[in-house]
Amino acid sequence: MPANKLNDAEIEEALAGLDGWSREGDEIVREVQLADFVAAMGLITQIGILAERMNHHPTLTNTWNRVHIALSTHDVGGISDYDMRLAGEINERVG
């Protein structure tokens, strides 16, 4: 099923239910701080598995115990329902 681009109101409504996420332009972003580098790499692996299952690939940046996550759907040129769904699944793993 193709991704559906969300309008500004839909994005704001979805973000209201996603703790830790905010909008930066055409992406939604979150930074997670973990216990150490190994925990951060573990989270990146978990996100990678989730993303691959959806065929939806985020931008992930790691600095020691922090993981910066940026979600956007290039196929629709902005933020989509896929981004919100993946953000929700990520939140289930990090709280």
Side-chain angles (χ1 to χ4, degrees), residues 20-89:
W21 291 89
S22 61
R23 182 178 187 177
E24 290 183 6
D26 285 338
E27 298 178 323
I28 59 171
V29 299
R30 179 171 182 181
E31 186 164 290
V32 179
Q33 185 169 343
L34 297 125
D36 54 29
F37 179 75
V38 172
M41 292 306 295
L43 177 61
I44 288 172
T45 299
Q46 289 180 45
I47 294 170
I49 292 167
L50 291 171
E52 185 64 21
R53 286 182 187 152
M54 291 178 65
N55 193 31
H56 189 58
H57 304 99
T59 300
L60 303 169
T61 306
N62 167 242
T63 305
W64 189 60
N65 68 338
R66 290 176 290 139
V67 177
H68 181 82
I69 308 158
L71 304 177
S72 184
T73 304
H74 303 287
D75 292 348
V76 300
I79 300 167
S80 77
D81 55 336
Y82 277 27
D83 301 307
M84 298 304 177
R85 191 170 95 202
L86 184 54
E89 291 193 31

